[in-house]
Amino acid sequence: MLQNTGKLAGYTIFITGASRGIGKAIALKAARDGANVVIAAKTADPHPKLPGTIYTAAAEIEAAGGKALPCIVDQINDAVEQAVEKFGGIDILVNNASAINLTGTLETPMKKIDLMLGINLRGTYLTSKLCIPHLLKSKNPHILNLSPPLNLNPIWFKNHTAYTMAKYGMSMCVLGMAEEFKGSIAVNALWPKTAIQTAAMDMLGGSGIDKQCRKVEIVADAAYAIFKQPTSFTGQFVIDEDILRKEGIRDFDVYAVEPGHPLLPDFFLDQQPEDLARQMKEHGATPAFKSGKTSTDSASTGPVSDMFNIIRGVLSPDIVKTTQGVYRFDLSGDHAGVWYIDLKNDAGSAGSGEPPVKADVIMTLDSSDFIKMFEGKLKPTMAFMSGKLKIKGDMGLAIKLEKMMAMMKSKL
């Protein structure tokens, strides 16, 4: 891991979304140098599902050797004024706060779109605008946005246009402000090469996702490496692993949640479009979409029917009691058709056609990938995050289905 040098001692760092996850990790890294850290986040009271508040983060920062100022971000202007009043200025701004909702255009409520655009784009722009007058007075000012390179390959838009627009808005702030304040403020973006284990990732990915992730410390170390750069280092879209290799880091297993386990690549990073098909196949996505057959006899024979025979064999009242969900599968490809698994009623049931009651979750995917998922050869998390599997409905119930898939392995 990248060693602390003490270079941030006395610096004031304003971090949005610093009560947990990547934001808190960056805060703690700076605190070990003796930095002043402004924790600008919305969680003042404990969240029922997410760990940490601005006050628990402040206590950790103080314990690590820094000085902390917890601020609720409802009024960002007040938070900036409090920071300047307490610490005398602002040297570094980290725009880390972000909202995510990975749904398509018809499935995304305007409330969610407003939230993503409000936090990711407007929040980043506004916080930068308010901090810049103070940053201009610093000896080595930096703005760092936790946002991806501007990859315009349509694959990164098609399944979650609203999220991509909001996230790319943060990156466009880098592009514009780096040029606008060239020579005065370093403005850069930082993005992880792999998925990072955070509370948000656990909620999105479900059980087992952590093994495919790196720890938040890799992003904190990369941010620290950027803060050491002069203001001439600007307009860069930095990938965490790349800058750490330049810093001399060679052992990346120390950052892995489970060293040696295959890692899940992060969004937006198919740098060579001609390599996209290969990358997608490797990580569970679909490089070409088949129109699919619509023959009606595929329901009675074939590999999907065989798989459902196995599924019926593992159904039990216990699974129904712990799951309480009805699933519908809209399959395309060589064995297209509609199938269901009812894990809500009686002892459970499964078969072809519409479910006997309204489905809580609808999963859309290629029939060959459905088989691979239930055989344990394709991780649902990878399929979902890369766009191969589309899920409509209760995401929590979708994650519960993975437990049934795990049980299937022993039957195959």
Side-chain angles (χ1 to χ4, degrees):
M1 289 191 174
L2 195 65
Q3 298 300 309
N4 280 67
T5 62
K7 286 189 175 181
L8 296 183
Y11 275 59
T12 297
I13 305 180
F14 191 107
I15 308 177
T16 66
S19 60
R20 63 179 67 92
I22 290 171
K24 189 178 80 171
I26 294 172
L28 290 172
K29 183 73 176 178
R32 293 185 193 106
D33 266 10
N36 308 317
V37 182
V38 184
I39 309 154
K42 64 181 180 180
T43 310
D45 299 313
H47 190 281
K49 294 182 179 180
L50 300 172
T53 68
I54 56 176
Y55 305 111
T56 59
E60 290 184 58
I61 288 164
E62 299 271 357
K67 294 180 181 177
L69 174 64
C71 295
I72 301 171
V73 292
D74 288 345
Q75 296 294 330
I76 198 70
N77 190 48
D78 291 345
V80 172
E81 288 181 5
Q82 288 175 44
V84 173
E85 184 178 343
K86 178 165 184 175
F87 297 126
I90 297 173
D91 301 290
I92 297 171
L93 165 63
V94 180
N95 287 305
N96 166 71
S98 189
I100 182 170
N101 199 69
L102 300 175
T103 49
T105 302
L106 299 179
E107 291 78 37
T108 311
M110 287 309 299
K111 185 178 179 181
K112 293 283 188 182
I113 294 171
D114 291 342
L115 178 69
M116 287 189 285
L117 291 173
I119 294 176
N120 302 7
L121 172 52
R122 188 180 187 277
T124 294
Y125 188 93
L126 175 60
T127 309
S128 301
K129 179 183 174 69
L130 293 172
C131 287
I132 284 170
H134 306 289
L135 290 166
L136 288 169
K137 299 172 185 176
S138 173
K139 57 185 177 184
N140 190 36
H142 280 261
I143 294 176
L144 181 64
N145 294 353
L146 272 295
S147 63
L150 287 164
N151 184 344
L152 296 183
N153 191 314
I155 191 68
W156 300 116
F157 290 81
K158 61 173 288 187
N159 296 310
H160 38 73
T161 297
Y163 172 66
T164 300
M165 287 166 57
K167 207 65 188 172
Y168 279 14
M170 297 175 71
S171 300
M172 292 172 78
C173 285
V174 170
L175 202 64
M177 293 178 190
E179 196 67 22
E180 184 178 359
F181 298 100
K182 185 176 284 187
S184 301
I185 303 173
V187 185
N188 297 289
L190 174 60
W191 194 245
K193 184 174 183 177
T194 72
I196 302 296
Q197 185 192 25
T198 62
M201 178 58 72
D202 289 341
M203 289 176 68
L204 283 169
S207 61
I209 187 67
D210 56 330
K211 295 178 182 178
Q212 305 168 48
C213 297
R214 282 176 171 163
K215 302 171 188 174
V216 291
E217 283 76 17
I218 190 171
V219 186
D221 281 4
Y224 188 82
I226 292 170
F227 300 152
K228 294 193 300 177
Q229 305 298 321
T231 54
S232 57
F233 183 87
T234 192
Q236 303 295 310
F237 290 88
V238 180
I239 304 302
D240 57 358
E241 184 176 312
D242 294 347
I243 194 166
L244 290 175
R245 285 192 183 279
K246 291 177 182 176
E247 290 285 322
I249 301 296
R250 292 294 177 265
D251 179 14
F252 287 89
D253 267 355
V254 297
Y255 294 114
V257 172
E258 186 172 307
H261 195 285
L263 295 166
L264 183 67
D266 208 349
F267 282 19
F268 309 118
L269 293 183
D270 59 303
Q271 291 153 347
Q272 298 296 325
E274 60 269 23
D275 291 340
L276 181 59
R278 175 182 57 78
Q279 290 181 3
M280 290 176 74
K281 284 181 179 178
E282 287 175 1
H283 304 303
T286 308
F289 296 93
K290 301 176 183 178
S291 59
K293 297 178 182 178
T294 56
S295 58
T296 57
D297 61 347
S298 63
S300 57
T301 60
V304 175
S305 177
D306 293 343
M307 183 58 66
F308 269 85
N309 287 334
I310 299 171
I311 291 170
R312 281 189 284 269
V314 300
L315 295 180
S316 71
D318 284 343
I319 293 178
V320 172
K321 185 178 179 181
T322 57
T323 308
Q324 288 296 294
V326 178
Y327 303 84
R328 172 178 145 173
F329 303 90
D330 291 350
L331 305 183
S332 58
D334 293 338
H335 302 279
V338 176
W339 297 78
Y340 76 89
I341 301 175
D342 180 355
L343 297 178
K344 183 183 280 187
N345 302 290
D346 302 321
S349 61
S352 63
E354 296 282 344
V357 295
K358 184 180 178 182
D360 300 299
V361 182
I362 299 173
M363 296 186 171
T364 305
L365 70 163
D366 190 276
S367 55
S368 63
D369 298 317
F370 171 86
I371 295 164
K372 288 176 186 174
M373 281 204 314
F374 277 86
E375 288 177 339
K377 296 176 181 176
L378 173 64
K379 287 190 177 292
T381 303
M382 279 193 180
F384 170 69
M385 292 186 69
S386 54
K388 193 167 192 177
L389 167 65
K390 291 185 178 179
I391 300 174
K392 185 177 181 181
D394 189 321
M395 189 64 70
L397 284 174
I399 292 168
K400 280 188 176 182
L401 193 63
E402 284 200 44
K403 295 179 182 177
M404 180 186 216
M405 293 177 187
M407 292 181 63
M408 298 279 296
K409 281 187 177 181
S410 62
K411 300 285 184 178
L412 295 171

